Amino acid sequence: MTLARIYRALLLAGFQQAAQYRIQSLLWMLFAIIRPVIFLAAWIAVAVAQGGDIGGFKVGDFAAYYVCMTFVSQLTMAWNSHEFEWEVNQGRLSAKLLRPLHPLHYSVVENLVFKLNTLPVLGVVLILVSISFGAIYRTQVWHIIAFIPSVILAAALLFMFNWVIATLAFWATRMRTANTLFQRTLFIFAGQIAPIGLMPGWLQAVSYALPFWYMMGAPTEILRGGVTQEQVAQILIGQSVWLAITFVAFQWIWRRGVRAYSAVGA
Amino acid sequence: MRRYLRIIGTFIAAEAKNEMAYRANLALGVVEMVLVIGTSLGAVLVLFTHTTSLNGWTLAQMIALTGVYYLIQGGVALIFNPSFEKLMEHVRMGTLDFTLLKPANAQVLLSTRHFALIRVADLVMGFGVVIVGLYMLSASVTAWSLVSFALTLACGVMLVYALLLSLVTLSFWFVRIDNIMAIFWAFTDAGRFPIDLYPGWLRFTLATVVPIGIAVTVPAEAISGRMSYETFIGMLVGTVLAVAAASWFWRIGLRNYTGASA
């Protein structure tokens, strides 16, 4: 009960803070939209070269895929690993550790505020992209119902995974390399460069086994209506399993990390 | 001219001494670049498992283009990016006065003051990728394509320089221009594919306002022997005009700068 009250207060403060940076959040939108549009354009060129259809994907399917991908990545993105290094290096984490609330909660709130704030504008932009590229959605009602838990699981999974990486900052002082590695892994395996069905066979198998596709690609496929009910069940199970593993890993690594942490200079 | 080369040489030497203090940092920077370039090439390869041509570009040409993309990005990140970042800080803090008092051209001094030497690695790897592309293209490489490649590549870097110079000039009026710079960085990602792939609005943006598309695509066309003479002339003339315009704008901005306490 008290946690709910704390969250309400933090969210309120978060929204008030975010009101100062409206232009900034519009700019981040540009980042969110450019990469999917780039790959959409490339796949359209491929589809056109192949007579309009590759592996069941027509131009409209690609458009739907990348519109959904943009929407999902906006909803699931997490960025703590970028900030956490700074907090550790500056010793700023010390103050947060003294508070009765786990630092995780502050970053959950920050995450929620950003997403809720940017969603309306992104929605409009995505509708425009959908229309201009002639997106075809194969979505049915049950797809949308399944999408909700799937995108929440994906966001939680990406968030926790990002925290595991962030926690490495307790030992390493330069986290940029770890972040780059994570970003590029997502780039390949999460479905940004291609829908999983169009990946070469071995890469597909690896993607299904690793957690990264479940962070973005899986909810994207559900939202655009590209999966059967059986596949949806598999996706939800895969997401839950990976979330559980990541959560346990986080708790383990966090406990050891806090012990290793001695605020730089303290 | 020789005097300026000597000044720039001094800047580079100073930067090198500074960087040498952080060698592990350098090594990790190279690792990152390998990851980034490797995965970008991976993306191209995935696309080409389904086709043999992307809007007329073959795999070999696309690989060369990817190399060019990192050459242009690396060139900008090596010299202009670190220098301009410091320049914006100088404007904000009012410390630009010290540079302006020096008896040399302020535009040259400020554009080349700082070097992110780690980015040399980008250049080396970018060249490596271009060479791989060339090797696959072997049949069609001529002396002309090599010369026009070198020239258009230099033009590409200078085009992006002209844009960045105009953007930092805005800081004389607005002081904080991080947001405007962010727009530029958002668009650079689009340089990874040939500009002719994109829908009209994006193609237009990448050819004019944020010329990263032209800067990458034209040299890649040159090396793969698919550039027309009109494009070549247009690129040279366009670059000269863009740099002249940016440098004119810079002088206007400089006149507007009032210093910290003035």
Side-chain angles (χ1 to χ4, degrees), chain A residues 130-148:
Chain A
S130 276
I131 295 170
S132 69
F133 284 94
I136 303 168
Y137 295 92
R138 304 179 186 283
T139 321
Q140 292 175 7
V141 180
W142 64 266
H143 278 126
I144 295 176
I145 296 169
F147 172 72
I148 295 168

Side-chain angles (χ1 to χ4, degrees), chain B residues 79-98:
Chain B
I79 313 172
F80 305 127
N81 208 33
S83 299
F84 284 152
E85 222 145 78
K86 269 282 159 30
L87 167 59
M88 288 190 290
E89 197 185 310
H90 281 316
V91 173
R92 201 157 51 231
M93 311 289 286
T95 45
L96 191 66
D97 306 23
F98 302 121

Side-chain angles (χ1 to χ4, degrees), chain B residues 183-206:
Chain B
I183 297 183
F184 166 74
W185 291 116
F187 276 104
T188 50
D189 206 22
R192 68 169 68 245
F193 290 129
I195 189 169
D196 44 74
L197 223 62
Y198 296 121
W201 62 273
L202 189 54
R203 201 179 331 144
F204 178 77
T205 312
L206 294 173

Side-chain angles (χ1 to χ4, degrees), chain A residues 236-248:
Chain A
L236 290 176
I237 292 170
Q239 288 181 316
S240 310
V241 169
W242 271 114
L243 180 59
I245 294 174
T246 314
F247 188 71
V248 171

Side-chain angles (χ1 to χ4, degrees), chain A residues 198-211:
Chain A
L198 296 182
M199 291 287 222
W202 62 275
L203 214 55
Q204 242 179 70
V206 176
S207 303
Y208 279 122
L210 292 176

Side-chain angles (χ1 to χ4, degrees), chain A residues 24 27 30-31 34-35 38-39 41-43 45-46 49-50 54 133 174 176-177 180-181 184 187-188 193-194 198, chain B residues 25 28-29 32 35-36 39-40 43 46-47 50-51 53-54 179 182-183 186-187 189-190 192-193 197-199 202:
Chain A
Q24 230 108 336
L27 279 175
L30 204 57
F31 278 96
I34 291 264
R35 178 168 289 173
I38 290 166
F39 276 92
W43 279 110
V46 175
Q50 297 301 306
I54 325 165
F133 284 94
R174 178 181 149 128
R176 262 194 47 199
T177 312
T180 309
L181 176 60
R184 300 314 283 191
F187 179 68
I188 292 287
I193 58 175
L198 296 182
Chain B
N25 210 36
L28 287 176
E32 275 173 37
L35 281 171
V36 169
T39 44
S40 291
V46 167
L47 279 167
H50 295 280
T51 184
S53 123
L54 200 61
N179 288 340
I183 297 183
F187 276 104
D189 206 22
R192 68 169 68 245
F193 290 129
L197 223 62
Y198 296 121
L202 189 54

